[in-house]
Every structure is written in structure tokens, then in C-alpha cells.
Amino acid sequence: TQLLEQSPQFLSIQEGENLTVYCNSSSVFSSLQWYRQEPGEGPVLLVTVVTGGEVKKLKRLTFQFGDARKDSSLHITAAQPGDTGLYLCAGGRLITGTASKLTFGTGTRLQVTL
Amino acid sequence: ETGVTQTPRHLVMGMTNKKSLKCEQHLGHNAMYWYKQSAKKPLELMFVYSLEERVENNSVPSRFSPECPNSSHLFLHLHTLQPEDSALYLCASSQDLNLGYEQYFGPGTRLTVT
């Protein structure tokens, strides 16, 4: 079983603070995605990284894929209440030929207060 | 609105009942998925369908029976469930099963088994 451990599990911070969420595995993945899920909704994709060492920025969010493609991090600068939600990493791997499936991480629940 | 709808949004059923969950995607995607999201476990993949053919069954008990009559619709038939089956059941779709394709999730069905 390929496990993706996220840390921290819970994070409560004030508006304006910076934070980093980690996603770690002992397995290699072909791609790594980050999703955010808000209450009463399904997860929504934030980013996909596919190359070891790759860094992508999405406004105040910075995503990095580890060199060995076993881990990833999400850094948020100057957090805002709208960033509140459950953050999920998901590792992609091939199951047959070109078909792939995602293994989701344990999740990090972020709350940003005023 | 992600283009993936699920009905019902909430369902309470007894252990002897038979019910069905419905998912519909309006995105023209070829792949559809069922996931289970429990409070204390990572998001678990249950079934994967590609062009109406089941690609993966992730060791799911037979009391869960999927059906994909066409590429836009996916059902999950439930019978003789257990209280531990109470969870949020999420449907998702993607253009294809290839790596890197974004999965679009529906809002989920919150299932309670009494």
C-alpha cells in the first residue's frame, strides 16, 4: 500500500501568517497533485507537478515536488480566511498501460482567522 | 459548480435497505470514479470506469455494486450496509485515465447507516 502522510494534520493560524504543509511517502509517484476541499463540497484541483524538483506558484501558493518524487510541500504566504479548508495531496501512478490512479494523502485541515 | 452532480446529497438508510447513489458529469469526460471519504481515513478510491468499462475495483465489499450505463452516468448500488460504511461518497470524472489529468469532483453524498 502506498501511503502519503501529510503534516501537520491540523493548523490554526491568523491572517497574514505564512505556513507550509508537507506530503511525504516512501514510494515514488509519477505526478503529484494538490487539492483543496471546502465543507459540503468535493476537492478542487490546485496544481499538478510532474518533474522532480519542480516548483509551481499560484498567487500566494508555492508548490514543490521533491527531487526523488516521493514528497511535496505547499507553502502559503500571508494566509487569508479564504484559504481555510482541507488540503489534500494526491500521488499519481500507472495501473495499466497509460491508465493511472491517484492515492490521496491523509489531509491537512487549515483554519485562518482574522 | 464543477460539472459533476450527485444525488441525493444526504441519505440515511437502515442496514437492510437497498438504495442507489447517482452521479452525472456534463464535461464529456471518459473516466469516472467512486471514492469514500471517512472522518479518520484518507480519501479511498473504490472503483474506476473508463469508457463504461470497470478498470479497477479496489477490494471493495460486494455490498457496494457500481454501474456505468454510459460515459456520463455512474451509479453506486448499496445493499445490506454496515454502520462503518457511513461516510461521504464522492464521484469524480476526468478526461481520460492518463497521468496528470485533473479529476473533477462532485459535492458528494453524505451517507448514514443506522
Side-chain angles (χ1 to χ4, degrees), chain A residues 30-31 33 35 37 40-45 48 86 88 92-96 98-102 104-106, chain B residues 2 9 33 35 37 42-43 45 48 55-56 58 88 90 97-108:
Chain A
S30 301
S31 67
Q33 296 182 329
Y35 289 79
Q37 184 178 15
E41 298 180 11
V44 176
L45 181 69
T48 300
L86 177 66
L88 297 164
R93 67 180 179 88
L94 290 173
I95 48 176
T96 60
T98 56
S100 67
K101 75 169 190 178
L102 293 177
F104 279 82
T106 49
Chain B
T2 62
R9 293 294 307 274
Y33 313 77
Y35 286 90
Q37 189 172 36
L43 199 60
L45 178 65
V48 181
V55 175
E56 176 134 328
N58 223 24
L88 181 68
L90 290 162
L97 289 180
N98 288 341
L99 284 173
Y101 275 114
E102 175 178 359
Q103 291 191 14
Y104 292 78
F105 284 83

mmCIF file of all heavy atoms in Angstrom, chain A residues 30-31 33 35 37 40-45 48 86 88 92-96 98-102 104-106, chain B residues 2 9 33 35 37 42-43 45 48 55-56 58 88 90 97-108:
data_model
loop_
_atom_site.group_PDB
_atom_site.id
_atom_site.type_symbol
_atom_site.label_atom_id
_atom_site.label_comp_id
_atom_site.label_asym_id
_atom_site.label_seq_id
_atom_site.Cartn_x
_atom_site.Cartn_y
_atom_site.Cartn_z
ATOM 1 N N SER A 30 4.574 9.244 -10.150
ATOM 2 C CA SER A 30 4.812 9.852 -11.461
ATOM 3 C C SER A 30 4.342 11.297 -11.505
ATOM 4 O O SER A 30 4.837 12.083 -12.321
ATOM 5 C CB SER A 30 4.100 9.040 -12.540
ATOM 6 O OG SER A 30 4.553 7.705 -12.540
ATOM 7 N N SER A 31 3.364 11.635 -10.680
ATOM 8 C CA SER A 31 2.876 13.003 -10.604
ATOM 9 C C SER A 31 2.332 13.247 -9.207
ATOM 10 O O SER A 31 2.031 12.297 -8.480
ATOM 11 C CB SER A 31 1.784 13.261 -11.643
ATOM 12 O OG SER A 31 0.629 12.489 -11.326
ATOM 13 N N GLN A 33 -0.466 15.855 -7.184
ATOM 14 C CA GLN A 33 -1.464 16.917 -7.278
ATOM 15 C C GLN A 33 -1.822 17.402 -5.875
ATOM 16 O O GLN A 33 -1.746 16.643 -4.912
ATOM 17 C CB GLN A 33 -2.726 16.407 -7.984
ATOM 18 C CG GLN A 33 -2.485 16.014 -9.441
ATOM 19 C CD GLN A 33 -3.755 15.552 -10.130
ATOM 20 O OE1 GLN A 33 -4.656 14.995 -9.513
ATOM 21 N NE2 GLN A 33 -3.833 15.775 -11.437
ATOM 22 N N TYR A 35 -5.056 19.323 -3.874
ATOM 23 C CA TYR A 35 -6.464 19.710 -3.938
ATOM 24 C C TYR A 35 -6.831 20.467 -2.658
ATOM 25 O O TYR A 35 -6.239 20.258 -1.612
ATOM 26 C CB TYR A 35 -7.368 18.478 -4.026
ATOM 27 C CG TYR A 35 -7.332 17.727 -5.341
ATOM 28 C CD1 TYR A 35 -6.288 16.856 -5.644
ATOM 29 C CD2 TYR A 35 -8.350 17.887 -6.276
ATOM 30 C CE1 TYR A 35 -6.264 16.167 -6.844
ATOM 31 C CE2 TYR A 35 -8.338 17.195 -7.480
ATOM 32 C CZ TYR A 35 -7.288 16.335 -7.750
ATOM 33 O OH TYR A 35 -7.272 15.644 -8.947
ATOM 34 N N GLN A 37 -10.393 21.212 -0.359
ATOM 35 C CA GLN A 37 -11.784 20.835 -0.186
ATOM 36 C C GLN A 37 -12.419 21.710 0.879
ATOM 37 O O GLN A 37 -11.913 21.819 2.001
ATOM 38 C CB GLN A 37 -11.899 19.361 0.216
ATOM 39 C CG GLN A 37 -13.318 18.850 0.330
ATOM 40 C CD GLN A 37 -13.374 17.364 0.677
ATOM 41 O OE1 GLN A 37 -12.380 16.776 1.103
ATOM 42 N NE2 GLN A 37 -14.517 16.745 0.471
ATOM 43 N N GLY A 40 -18.882 20.678 2.588
ATOM 44 C CA GLY A 40 -20.042 20.477 1.730
ATOM 45 C C GLY A 40 -19.718 20.385 0.246
ATOM 46 O O GLY A 40 -20.625 20.338 -0.584
ATOM 47 N N GLU A 41 -18.429 20.360 -0.078
ATOM 48 C CA GLU A 41 -18.037 20.281 -1.485
ATOM 49 C C GLU A 41 -16.996 19.195 -1.688
ATOM 50 O O GLU A 41 -16.381 18.710 -0.739
ATOM 51 C CB GLU A 41 -17.468 21.622 -1.950
ATOM 52 C CG GLU A 41 -18.469 22.767 -1.871
ATOM 53 C CD GLU A 41 -17.869 24.078 -2.326
ATOM 54 O OE1 GLU A 41 -16.764 24.074 -2.892
ATOM 55 O OE2 GLU A 41 -18.526 25.118 -2.102
ATOM 56 N N GLY A 42 -16.782 18.833 -2.952
ATOM 57 C CA GLY A 42 -15.717 17.902 -3.263
ATOM 58 C C GLY A 42 -14.395 18.643 -3.414
ATOM 59 O O GLY A 42 -14.353 19.870 -3.503
ATOM 60 N N PRO A 43 -13.273 17.905 -3.432
ATOM 61 C CA PRO A 43 -11.960 18.527 -3.619
ATOM 62 C C PRO A 43 -11.853 19.224 -4.979
ATOM 63 O O PRO A 43 -12.430 18.764 -5.968
ATOM 64 C CB PRO A 43 -10.994 17.339 -3.548
ATOM 65 C CG PRO A 43 -11.742 16.262 -2.838
ATOM 66 C CD PRO A 43 -13.172 16.445 -3.223
ATOM 67 N N VAL A 44 -11.099 20.322 -5.012
ATOM 68 C CA VAL A 44 -10.866 21.069 -6.247
ATOM 69 C C VAL A 44 -9.364 21.134 -6.480
ATOM 70 O O VAL A 44 -8.602 21.488 -5.570
ATOM 71 C CB VAL A 44 -11.450 22.495 -6.160
ATOM 72 C CG1 VAL A 44 -11.107 23.288 -7.412
ATOM 73 C CG2 VAL A 44 -12.958 22.437 -5.975
ATOM 74 N N LEU A 45 -8.945 20.794 -7.695
ATOM 75 C CA LEU A 45 -7.520 20.765 -8.013
ATOM 76 C C LEU A 45 -6.893 22.155 -7.950
ATOM 77 O O LEU A 45 -7.428 23.129 -8.494
ATOM 78 C CB LEU A 45 -7.308 20.189 -9.411
ATOM 79 C CG LEU A 45 -5.839 20.076 -9.856
ATOM 80 C CD1 LEU A 45 -5.129 18.998 -9.038
ATOM 81 C CD2 LEU A 45 -5.750 19.768 -11.345
ATOM 82 N N THR A 48 -0.780 20.548 -10.464
ATOM 83 C CA THR A 48 -0.170 19.250 -10.764
ATOM 84 C C THR A 48 1.307 19.476 -11.024
ATOM 85 O O THR A 48 1.680 20.373 -11.798
ATOM 86 C CB THR A 48 -0.792 18.604 -12.014
ATOM 87 O OG1 THR A 48 -2.190 18.413 -11.791
ATOM 88 C CG2 THR A 48 -0.145 17.256 -12.300
ATOM 89 N N LEU A 86 -9.638 21.955 3.715
ATOM 90 C CA LEU A 86 -8.868 20.720 3.840
ATOM 91 C C LEU A 86 -7.968 20.601 2.617
ATOM 92 O O LEU A 86 -8.454 20.604 1.488
ATOM 93 C CB LEU A 86 -9.820 19.519 3.913
ATOM 94 C CG LEU A 86 -9.159 18.134 3.975
ATOM 95 C CD1 LEU A 86 -8.391 17.964 5.286
ATOM 96 C CD2 LEU A 86 -10.219 17.043 3.837
ATOM 97 N N LEU A 88 -5.386 18.448 0.393
ATOM 98 C CA LEU A 88 -5.082 17.050 0.112
ATOM 99 C C LEU A 88 -4.029 16.956 -0.972
ATOM 100 O O LEU A 88 -4.165 17.571 -2.028
ATOM 101 C CB LEU A 88 -6.339 16.322 -0.366
ATOM 102 C CG LEU A 88 -7.512 16.226 0.608
ATOM 103 C CD1 LEU A 88 -8.785 15.834 -0.123
ATOM 104 C CD2 LEU A 88 -7.217 15.229 1.703
ATOM 105 N N GLY A 92 0.051 10.277 -8.228
ATOM 106 C CA GLY A 92 -0.439 9.527 -9.377
ATOM 107 C C GLY A 92 0.544 8.447 -9.787
ATOM 108 O O GLY A 92 1.758 8.658 -9.769
ATOM 109 N N ARG A 93 0.025 7.294 -10.134
ATOM 110 C CA ARG A 93 0.880 6.222 -10.651
ATOM 111 C C ARG A 93 0.115 5.414 -11.678
ATOM 112 O O ARG A 93 -1.115 5.389 -11.669
ATOM 113 C CB ARG A 93 1.369 5.317 -9.519
ATOM 114 C CG ARG A 93 0.274 4.515 -8.844
ATOM 115 C CD ARG A 93 0.830 3.640 -7.724
ATOM 116 N NE ARG A 93 -0.219 2.891 -7.061
ATOM 117 C CZ ARG A 93 -0.649 1.688 -7.444
ATOM 118 N NH1 ARG A 93 -0.103 1.090 -8.486
ATOM 119 N NH2 ARG A 93 -1.616 1.072 -6.783
ATOM 120 N N LEU A 94 0.854 4.770 -12.566
ATOM 121 C CA LEU A 94 0.240 3.977 -13.613
ATOM 122 C C LEU A 94 -0.310 2.682 -13.031
ATOM 123 O O LEU A 94 0.295 2.073 -12.160
ATOM 124 C CB LEU A 94 1.267 3.653 -14.692
ATOM 125 C CG LEU A 94 1.735 4.831 -15.555
ATOM 126 C CD1 LEU A 94 2.865 4.397 -16.455
ATOM 127 C CD2 LEU A 94 0.589 5.389 -16.372
ATOM 128 N N ILE A 95 -1.490 2.270 -13.531
ATOM 129 C CA ILE A 95 -2.032 0.969 -13.123
ATOM 130 C C ILE A 95 -2.015 -0.012 -14.303
ATOM 131 O O ILE A 95 -1.741 -1.188 -14.137
ATOM 132 C CB ILE A 95 -3.456 1.099 -12.532
ATOM 133 C CG1 ILE A 95 -4.384 1.951 -13.412
ATOM 134 C CG2 ILE A 95 -3.395 1.666 -11.125
ATOM 135 C CD1 ILE A 95 -5.807 2.008 -12.912
ATOM 136 N N THR A 96 -2.308 0.464 -15.500
ATOM 137 C CA THR A 96 -2.205 -0.379 -16.691
ATOM 138 C C THR A 96 -1.840 0.522 -17.872
ATOM 139 O O THR A 96 -2.488 1.530 -18.082
ATOM 140 C CB THR A 96 -3.544 -1.059 -17.040
ATOM 141 O OG1 THR A 96 -4.526 -0.072 -17.290
ATOM 142 C CG2 THR A 96 -4.001 -2.000 -15.944
ATOM 143 N N THR A 98 -1.336 3.194 -20.102
ATOM 144 C CA THR A 98 -1.322 4.635 -19.862
ATOM 145 C C THR A 98 -2.339 5.053 -18.810
ATOM 146 O O THR A 98 -2.496 6.232 -18.535
ATOM 147 C CB THR A 98 -1.638 5.399 -21.162
ATOM 148 O OG1 THR A 98 -2.899 4.933 -21.660
ATOM 149 C CG2 THR A 98 -0.562 5.167 -22.203
ATOM 150 N N ALA A 99 -3.044 4.097 -18.237
ATOM 151 C CA ALA A 99 -4.057 4.423 -17.236
ATOM 152 C C ALA A 99 -3.408 4.640 -15.885
ATOM 153 O O ALA A 99 -2.516 3.895 -15.480
ATOM 154 C CB ALA A 99 -5.090 3.316 -17.148
ATOM 155 N N SER A 100 -3.864 5.668 -15.186
ATOM 156 C CA SER A 100 -3.291 5.981 -13.885
ATOM 157 C C SER A 100 -4.376 6.097 -12.835
ATOM 158 O O SER A 100 -5.560 6.188 -13.150
ATOM 159 C CB SER A 100 -2.522 7.292 -13.946
ATOM 160 O OG SER A 100 -3.417 8.377 -14.166
ATOM 161 N N LYS A 101 -3.958 6.073 -11.564
ATOM 162 C CA LYS A 101 -4.895 6.352 -10.493
ATOM 163 C C LYS A 101 -4.188 7.181 -9.435
ATOM 164 O O LYS A 101 -2.958 7.235 -9.381
ATOM 165 C CB LYS A 101 -5.450 5.069 -9.885
ATOM 166 C CG LYS A 101 -4.501 4.309 -8.978
ATOM 167 C CD LYS A 101 -5.267 3.230 -8.240
ATOM 168 C CE LYS A 101 -4.428 2.612 -7.142
ATOM 169 N NZ LYS A 101 -5.191 1.577 -6.388
ATOM 170 N N LEU A 102 -5.003 7.855 -8.609
ATOM 171 C CA LEU A 102 -4.487 8.714 -7.559
ATOM 172 C C LEU A 102 -4.583 8.039 -6.198
ATOM 173 O O LEU A 102 -5.581 7.394 -5.894
ATOM 174 C CB LEU A 102 -5.274 10.019 -7.496
ATOM 175 C CG LEU A 102 -5.141 10.976 -8.677
ATOM 176 C CD1 LEU A 102 -6.048 12.188 -8.458
ATOM 177 C CD2 LEU A 102 -3.705 11.427 -8.841
ATOM 178 N N PHE A 104 -4.565 9.352 -2.352
ATOM 179 C CA PHE A 104 -4.683 10.605 -1.625
ATOM 180 C C PHE A 104 -3.963 10.555 -0.287
ATOM 181 O O PHE A 104 -3.870 9.496 0.363
ATOM 182 C CB PHE A 104 -6.159 10.965 -1.413
ATOM 183 C CG PHE A 104 -6.787 11.609 -2.604
ATOM 184 C CD1 PHE A 104 -7.262 10.843 -3.647
ATOM 185 C CD2 PHE A 104 -6.859 12.992 -2.694
ATOM 186 C CE1 PHE A 104 -7.824 11.436 -4.773
ATOM 187 C CE2 PHE A 104 -7.416 13.600 -3.810
ATOM 188 C CZ PHE A 104 -7.903 12.823 -4.848
ATOM 189 N N GLY A 105 -3.475 11.712 0.134
ATOM 190 C CA GLY A 105 -2.833 11.853 1.425
ATOM 191 C C GLY A 105 -3.846 11.941 2.552
ATOM 192 O O GLY A 105 -5.055 11.977 2.332
ATOM 193 N N THR A 106 -3.306 11.987 3.778
ATOM 194 C CA THR A 106 -4.139 11.968 4.979
ATOM 195 C C THR A 106 -4.829 13.301 5.248
ATOM 196 O O THR A 106 -5.747 13.372 6.050
ATOM 197 C CB THR A 106 -3.282 11.596 6.190
ATOM 198 O OG1 THR A 106 -2.096 12.406 6.186
ATOM 199 C CG2 THR A 106 -2.868 10.132 6.133
ATOM 200 N N THR B 2 -18.787 22.249 -10.533
ATOM 201 C CA THR B 2 -17.674 21.611 -11.231
ATOM 202 C C THR B 2 -18.108 20.865 -12.481
ATOM 203 O O THR B 2 -17.273 20.370 -13.216
ATOM 204 C CB THR B 2 -16.981 20.595 -10.301
ATOM 205 O OG1 THR B 2 -17.929 19.564 -9.943
ATOM 206 C CG2 THR B 2 -16.487 21.269 -9.029
ATOM 207 N N ARG B 9 -27.925 14.308 -1.898
ATOM 208 C CA ARG B 9 -26.816 14.909 -1.167
ATOM 209 C C ARG B 9 -26.689 14.295 0.216
ATOM 210 O O ARG B 9 -25.600 14.237 0.777
ATOM 211 C CB ARG B 9 -27.034 16.419 -1.037
ATOM 212 C CG ARG B 9 -26.959 17.172 -2.371
ATOM 213 C CD ARG B 9 -25.548 17.133 -2.973
ATOM 214 N NE ARG B 9 -24.533 17.572 -2.042
ATOM 215 C CZ ARG B 9 -24.194 18.844 -1.871
ATOM 216 N NH1 ARG B 9 -24.773 19.794 -2.572
ATOM 217 N NH2 ARG B 9 -23.242 19.162 -1.001
ATOM 218 N N TYR B 33 -15.118 7.907 -11.403
ATOM 219 C CA TYR B 33 -14.573 7.277 -10.201
ATOM 220 C C TYR B 33 -15.573 7.379 -9.055
ATOM 221 O O TYR B 33 -16.308 8.350 -8.945
ATOM 222 C CB TYR B 33 -13.297 8.004 -9.737
ATOM 223 C CG TYR B 33 -12.277 8.295 -10.810
ATOM 224 C CD1 TYR B 33 -12.453 9.340 -11.705
ATOM 225 C CD2 TYR B 33 -11.109 7.540 -10.900
ATOM 226 C CE1 TYR B 33 -11.507 9.620 -12.677
ATOM 227 C CE2 TYR B 33 -10.156 7.822 -11.865
ATOM 228 C CZ TYR B 33 -10.366 8.857 -12.748
ATOM 229 O OH TYR B 33 -9.415 9.138 -13.717
ATOM 230 N N TYR B 35 -15.217 7.424 -4.827
ATOM 231 C CA TYR B 35 -14.323 7.488 -3.679
ATOM 232 C C TYR B 35 -15.164 7.468 -2.393
ATOM 233 O O TYR B 35 -16.299 7.944 -2.375
ATOM 234 C CB TYR B 35 -13.534 8.809 -3.665
ATOM 235 C CG TYR B 35 -12.436 8.924 -4.673
ATOM 236 C CD1 TYR B 35 -12.678 9.458 -5.940
ATOM 237 C CD2 TYR B 35 -11.134 8.553 -4.356
ATOM 238 C CE1 TYR B 35 -11.653 9.599 -6.867
ATOM 239 C CE2 TYR B 35 -10.093 8.694 -5.266
ATOM 240 C CZ TYR B 35 -10.369 9.213 -6.514
ATOM 241 O OH TYR B 35 -9.353 9.351 -7.435
ATOM 242 N N GLN B 37 -14.908 8.884 1.567
ATOM 243 C CA GLN B 37 -14.184 9.779 2.462
ATOM 244 C C GLN B 37 -14.742 9.628 3.870
ATOM 245 O O GLN B 37 -15.874 10.040 4.143
ATOM 246 C CB GLN B 37 -14.273 11.237 2.004
ATOM 247 C CG GLN B 37 -13.369 12.177 2.785
ATOM 248 C CD GLN B 37 -13.313 13.567 2.196
ATOM 249 O OE1 GLN B 37 -14.303 14.081 1.686
ATOM 250 N NE2 GLN B 37 -12.137 14.197 2.240
ATOM 251 N N PRO B 42 -7.764 8.475 4.913
ATOM 252 C CA PRO B 42 -7.588 9.228 3.664
ATOM 253 C C PRO B 42 -8.691 8.893 2.670
ATOM 254 O O PRO B 42 -9.323 7.838 2.771
ATOM 255 C CB PRO B 42 -6.236 8.756 3.142
ATOM 256 C CG PRO B 42 -5.550 8.135 4.297
ATOM 257 C CD PRO B 42 -6.614 7.579 5.175
ATOM 258 N N LEU B 43 -8.882 9.765 1.720
ATOM 259 C CA LEU B 43 -9.827 9.524 0.639
ATOM 260 C C LEU B 43 -9.470 8.202 -0.043
ATOM 261 O O LEU B 43 -8.342 8.003 -0.479
ATOM 262 C CB LEU B 43 -9.724 10.679 -0.360
ATOM 263 C CG LEU B 43 -10.838 10.941 -1.331
ATOM 264 C CD1 LEU B 43 -12.125 11.247 -0.602
ATOM 265 C CD2 LEU B 43 -10.481 12.102 -2.244
ATOM 266 N N LEU B 45 -10.047 5.338 -2.981
ATOM 267 C CA LEU B 45 -10.598 5.012 -4.291
ATOM 268 C C LEU B 45 -11.343 3.693 -4.198
ATOM 269 O O LEU B 45 -10.821 2.708 -3.668
ATOM 270 C CB LEU B 45 -9.471 4.903 -5.313
ATOM 271 C CG LEU B 45 -9.864 4.531 -6.727
ATOM 272 C CD1 LEU B 45 -10.726 5.620 -7.364
ATOM 273 C CD2 LEU B 45 -8.626 4.277 -7.576
ATOM 274 N N VAL B 48 -13.029 2.496 -10.582
ATOM 275 C CA VAL B 48 -12.646 3.337 -11.706
ATOM 276 C C VAL B 48 -13.305 2.777 -12.964
ATOM 277 O O VAL B 48 -13.231 1.573 -13.220
ATOM 278 C CB VAL B 48 -11.115 3.361 -11.922
ATOM 279 C CG1 VAL B 48 -10.762 4.268 -13.098
ATOM 280 C CG2 VAL B 48 -10.401 3.805 -10.663
ATOM 281 N N VAL B 55 -12.216 -0.474 -14.728
ATOM 282 C CA VAL B 55 -10.777 -0.638 -14.834
ATOM 283 C C VAL B 55 -10.183 -1.145 -13.528
ATOM 284 O O VAL B 55 -9.234 -1.920 -13.519
ATOM 285 C CB VAL B 55 -10.109 0.700 -15.217
ATOM 286 C CG1 VAL B 55 -8.601 0.583 -15.221
ATOM 287 C CG2 VAL B 55 -10.607 1.167 -16.560
ATOM 288 N N GLU B 56 -10.768 -0.689 -12.424
ATOM 289 C CA GLU B 56 -10.220 -1.085 -11.132
ATOM 290 C C GLU B 56 -11.326 -1.213 -10.108
ATOM 291 O O GLU B 56 -12.236 -0.386 -10.044
ATOM 292 C CB GLU B 56 -9.199 -0.055 -10.656
ATOM 293 C CG GLU B 56 -8.642 -0.331 -9.263
ATOM 294 C CD GLU B 56 -7.148 -0.194 -9.173
ATOM 295 O OE1 GLU B 56 -6.460 -0.475 -10.151
ATOM 296 O OE2 GLU B 56 -6.682 0.196 -8.097
ATOM 297 N N ASN B 58 -11.132 -1.624 -6.117
ATOM 298 C CA ASN B 58 -10.107 -1.558 -5.074
ATOM 299 C C ASN B 58 -10.487 -2.362 -3.835
ATOM 300 O O ASN B 58 -10.539 -1.828 -2.742
ATOM 301 C CB ASN B 58 -9.882 -0.082 -4.706
ATOM 302 C CG ASN B 58 -8.410 0.241 -4.551
ATOM 303 O OD1 ASN B 58 -7.553 -0.415 -5.087
ATOM 304 N ND2 ASN B 58 -8.129 1.283 -3.804
ATOM 305 N N LEU B 88 -18.767 10.048 3.487
ATOM 306 C CA LEU B 88 -19.082 10.898 2.333
ATOM 307 C C LEU B 88 -18.617 10.145 1.085
ATOM 308 O O LEU B 88 -17.452 9.762 0.992
ATOM 309 C CB LEU B 88 -18.358 12.238 2.451
ATOM 310 C CG LEU B 88 -18.615 13.241 1.320
ATOM 311 C CD1 LEU B 88 -20.065 13.729 1.364
ATOM 312 C CD2 LEU B 88 -17.660 14.426 1.414
ATOM 313 N N LEU B 90 -17.885 10.291 -2.766
ATOM 314 C CA LEU B 90 -17.590 11.287 -3.788
ATOM 315 C C LEU B 90 -17.452 10.627 -5.150
ATOM 316 O O LEU B 90 -16.815 9.586 -5.290
ATOM 317 C CB LEU B 90 -16.280 12.008 -3.458
ATOM 318 C CG LEU B 90 -16.312 12.950 -2.258
ATOM 319 C CD1 LEU B 90 -14.912 13.244 -1.779
ATOM 320 C CD2 LEU B 90 -17.019 14.249 -2.615
ATOM 321 N N LEU B 97 -7.746 8.504 -18.397
ATOM 322 C CA LEU B 97 -7.046 7.942 -17.249
ATOM 323 C C LEU B 97 -5.558 8.275 -17.269
ATOM 324 O O LEU B 97 -4.817 7.826 -16.410
ATOM 325 C CB LEU B 97 -7.208 6.412 -17.228
ATOM 326 C CG LEU B 97 -8.585 5.882 -16.881
ATOM 327 C CD1 LEU B 97 -8.581 4.364 -16.890
ATOM 328 C CD2 LEU B 97 -9.043 6.391 -15.521
ATOM 329 N N ASN B 98 -5.132 9.058 -18.255
ATOM 330 C CA ASN B 98 -3.711 9.366 -18.338
ATOM 331 C C ASN B 98 -3.253 10.218 -17.168
ATOM 332 O O ASN B 98 -4.020 10.989 -16.599
ATOM 333 C CB ASN B 98 -3.410 10.102 -19.642
ATOM 334 C CG ASN B 98 -3.496 9.179 -20.832
ATOM 335 O OD1 ASN B 98 -3.427 7.973 -20.704
ATOM 336 N ND2 ASN B 98 -3.684 9.771 -21.997
ATOM 337 N N LEU B 99 -1.978 10.079 -16.836
ATOM 338 C CA LEU B 99 -1.405 10.838 -15.734
ATOM 339 C C LEU B 99 -1.558 12.343 -15.955
ATOM 340 O O LEU B 99 -1.431 12.834 -17.066
ATOM 341 C CB LEU B 99 0.080 10.528 -15.602
ATOM 342 C CG LEU B 99 0.435 9.181 -14.974
ATOM 343 C CD1 LEU B 99 1.926 8.938 -15.065
ATOM 344 C CD2 LEU B 99 -0.007 9.151 -13.522
ATOM 345 N N GLY B 100 -1.812 13.042 -14.868
ATOM 346 C CA GLY B 100 -1.843 14.500 -14.940
ATOM 347 C C GLY B 100 -3.206 15.077 -15.223
ATOM 348 O O GLY B 100 -3.400 16.272 -15.055
ATOM 349 N N TYR B 101 -4.147 14.250 -15.685
ATOM 350 C CA TYR B 101 -5.471 14.798 -15.949
ATOM 351 C C TYR B 101 -6.166 15.152 -14.641
ATOM 352 O O TYR B 101 -6.164 14.379 -13.701
ATOM 353 C CB TYR B 101 -6.343 13.821 -16.728
ATOM 354 C CG TYR B 101 -6.123 13.897 -18.210
ATOM 355 C CD1 TYR B 101 -5.568 12.840 -18.922
ATOM 356 C CD2 TYR B 101 -6.464 15.048 -18.923
ATOM 357 C CE1 TYR B 101 -5.379 12.913 -20.281
ATOM 358 C CE2 TYR B 101 -6.266 15.133 -20.285
ATOM 359 C CZ TYR B 101 -5.719 14.060 -20.962
ATOM 360 O OH TYR B 101 -5.531 14.134 -22.305
ATOM 361 N N GLU B 102 -6.764 16.342 -14.613
ATOM 362 C CA GLU B 102 -7.452 16.782 -13.420
ATOM 363 C C GLU B 102 -8.707 15.957 -13.203
ATOM 364 O O GLU B 102 -9.433 15.650 -14.147
ATOM 365 C CB GLU B 102 -7.841 18.253 -13.562
ATOM 366 C CG GLU B 102 -8.678 18.798 -12.417
ATOM 367 C CD GLU B 102 -9.002 20.273 -12.587
ATOM 368 O OE1 GLU B 102 -8.558 20.875 -13.577
ATOM 369 O OE2 GLU B 102 -9.705 20.819 -11.721
ATOM 370 N N GLN B 103 -8.951 15.610 -11.942
ATOM 371 C CA GLN B 103 -10.197 14.965 -11.582
ATOM 372 C C GLN B 103 -11.152 16.030 -11.050
ATOM 373 O O GLN B 103 -10.794 16.823 -10.183
ATOM 374 C CB GLN B 103 -9.965 13.866 -10.541
ATOM 375 C CG GLN B 103 -9.219 12.672 -11.108
ATOM 376 C CD GLN B 103 -9.217 11.469 -10.194
ATOM 377 O OE1 GLN B 103 -9.979 11.393 -9.233
ATOM 378 N NE2 GLN B 103 -8.365 10.498 -10.502
ATOM 379 N N TYR B 104 -12.352 16.047 -11.584
ATOM 380 C CA TYR B 104 -13.391 16.971 -11.152
ATOM 381 C C TYR B 104 -14.349 16.210 -10.250
ATOM 382 O O TYR B 104 -14.914 15.199 -10.669
ATOM 383 C CB TYR B 104 -14.149 17.539 -12.356
ATOM 384 C CG TYR B 104 -13.318 18.451 -13.221
ATOM 385 C CD1 TYR B 104 -12.397 17.946 -14.122
ATOM 386 C CD2 TYR B 104 -13.465 19.840 -13.133
ATOM 387 C CE1 TYR B 104 -11.630 18.786 -14.917
ATOM 388 C CE2 TYR B 104 -12.719 20.685 -13.935
ATOM 389 C CZ TYR B 104 -11.796 20.147 -14.826
ATOM 390 O OH TYR B 104 -11.040 20.987 -15.605
ATOM 391 N N PHE B 105 -14.495 16.711 -9.034
ATOM 392 C CA PHE B 105 -15.306 16.024 -8.042
ATOM 393 C C PHE B 105 -16.700 16.637 -7.929
ATOM 394 O O PHE B 105 -16.887 17.847 -8.064
ATOM 395 C CB PHE B 105 -14.646 16.106 -6.663
ATOM 396 C CG PHE B 105 -13.472 15.184 -6.502
ATOM 397 C CD1 PHE B 105 -12.220 15.548 -6.958
ATOM 398 C CD2 PHE B 105 -13.625 13.952 -5.895
ATOM 399 C CE1 PHE B 105 -11.134 14.706 -6.817
ATOM 400 C CE2 PHE B 105 -12.543 13.093 -5.740
ATOM 401 C CZ PHE B 105 -11.285 13.470 -6.206
ATOM 402 N N GLY B 106 -17.664 15.772 -7.650
ATOM 403 C CA GLY B 106 -18.985 16.237 -7.276
ATOM 404 C C GLY B 106 -18.996 16.626 -5.813
ATOM 405 O O GLY B 106 -17.995 16.453 -5.103
ATOM 406 N N PRO B 107 -20.141 17.140 -5.310
ATOM 407 C CA PRO B 107 -20.221 17.594 -3.920
ATOM 408 C C PRO B 107 -20.340 16.452 -2.916
ATOM 409 O O PRO B 107 -20.205 16.676 -1.720
ATOM 410 C CB PRO B 107 -21.480 18.454 -3.919
ATOM 411 C CG PRO B 107 -22.313 17.874 -5.005
ATOM 412 C CD PRO B 107 -21.368 17.408 -6.060
ATOM 413 N N GLY B 108 -20.605 15.240 -3.412
ATOM 414 C CA GLY B 108 -20.672 14.095 -2.509
ATOM 415 C C GLY B 108 -22.073 13.785 -2.012
ATOM 416 O O GLY B 108 -22.971 14.639 -2.040
#
